Amino acid sequence: MGRLWKLSEVSKHATQDSCWMVLHGNVYDITSFLSKHPGGRSILLTNAGQDASAAFDSVHPVEILEEHLTPEQVLGKVELDVKSKTMMVEKSNGALQIRPDACSSSNVPPLASILSLAEIESYAMQRLSPKAISYYVSATDDELTKAANGQIYRSILLRPRVFVDCTECSLETSILGNKVGLPIFVSPAAMARLAHPTGEAGIAGACSKFNALQIISKNASISPAAIVSAGPGAIFAWQLYVLKDLAATERTLAQIRKIPQIKFIVLTLDAPFPGKREADERFKMAEVAGGAPPQAWGTESGLTWKKTLDWLCRHTSLPIVLKGVQTHEDAYAATLFPAVKGIILSNHGGRALDTAPPSIQVLLEIRKFCPQVLDTIDVLVDGGVKRGTDVVKALALGAKGVGIGRAALYGLSVGGQDGAERVLKILADETMTAMRLLGVKSVSELSPRHINTNALALRLFDGPSGLEQVERERQSKL
């Protein structure tokens, strides 16, 4: 049990040689962590020697302290004054409680009058902070992949059939054996509290209304336990980044094992190094104090198929989904490992490697070179989805589910949980309308016969399949 400190005592430790910080009533010595902080030391020094709970909560869950700091770094408790106590966000029973005045929706029309995701985004740009915009909107280099993610859907034509009774139409389907109310899911999107105080809990509440899947970001601003408690009707998965500090990753996986609502693990593979997101970098440069080192990247870059999957299977019994697959060869390779039950075709929203292919193009190449993948594991896609017709096109090509990321954050910024619900409602209604006009009653009826992709034929990889090489490489490492 540590001692009780006065804030005036803590304030004397606000340099890189002795850096203390108060977080939720505890006093931490974070001096040795300054050089390891993924966001750089500048933001830590800015909040050093004071109660930084509010700044911390805007981007991190409390549980992350156990992942990155040791018990020896907890120096004791702080003696809070009345003002500090009233400013703290109350937490009870693992659920997040938000102050009533923290969710103003001024300058936004009634949500029911907003009719498209593009409208949602335009209002979000008026409400988000510069920091949030630089983080959410930015993509790598010239942002060609980000743009292509959406543009490619415009090159696919729909083939509606007539004289089909489509009075009844259902969006229900299953993802990795979990029944969901929508074929639309929320991809892992970090730091949702930059958009709204409810953060990922608001998205969970929205997903709950539709019995939809939410993949919780490893970098969520609220703990996984609090998120799942906010969405009793939702289905949850959890995104895993393997950190350079493998022990810290294993501690987090131990926490996830205690949350039965999480149905599978999504191992993200497309960002072993950060992409050059110039808008985000410019904002960070403005924040960095003179002489501060460049931002550290904490993700392990040495992951390999057998070594990493064997390690992960020792720490979880949940099904594993690989996120960030961008070639048909890797999609096929995933089917050779029994622990892998699904893949997400994703280029990180254009935030990793610019000019990487859009997910739909990869899906087309899977159909061309190794269609058996679609019968072996669940294939999900994300990136660039703006309309229900986009959802239908992906499903017709064999995707089991279609993810949105930025759109959920934009909806959250516009109206909290209600705004996120509006995003899902718009997409669900548009998807059902498109299915009815195609003459389709259920998701399972959608097939390649409902679309024309000839305009994309010249974009597909035209070399050999490479599947034999994939087989040889796997055999050589067994």
Side-chain angles (χ1 to χ4, degrees), residues 265-295:
I265 300 293
V266 177
L267 175 59
T268 296
L269 300 169
D270 53 9
F273 290 94
K276 184 190 176 191
R277 303 194 295 267
E278 294 178 7
D280 197 25
E281 286 190 17
R282 286 192 186 96
F283 189 88
K284 288 176 180 176
M285 287 169 64
E287 284 190 325
V288 171
Q295 176 173 328

Side-chain angles (χ1 to χ4, degrees), residues 388-419:
T389 49
D390 300 339
V391 175
V392 166
K393 291 169 184 178
L395 296 174
L397 282 170
K400 293 283 288 186
V402 182
I404 57 171
R406 291 181 176 98
L409 295 170
Y410 295 156
L412 195 68
S413 73
V414 169
Q417 177 178 322
D418 291 342

Side-chain angles (χ1 to χ4, degrees), residues 9 39 51 126 155 161 192 194 204 216 272 278 283 296 303 398 401 405 416 457:
E9 295 175 295
D51 189 339
Q126 300 172 31
S155 298
R161 304 299 300 273
L194 290 178
I216 300 170
E278 294 178 7
F283 189 88
L303 306 183

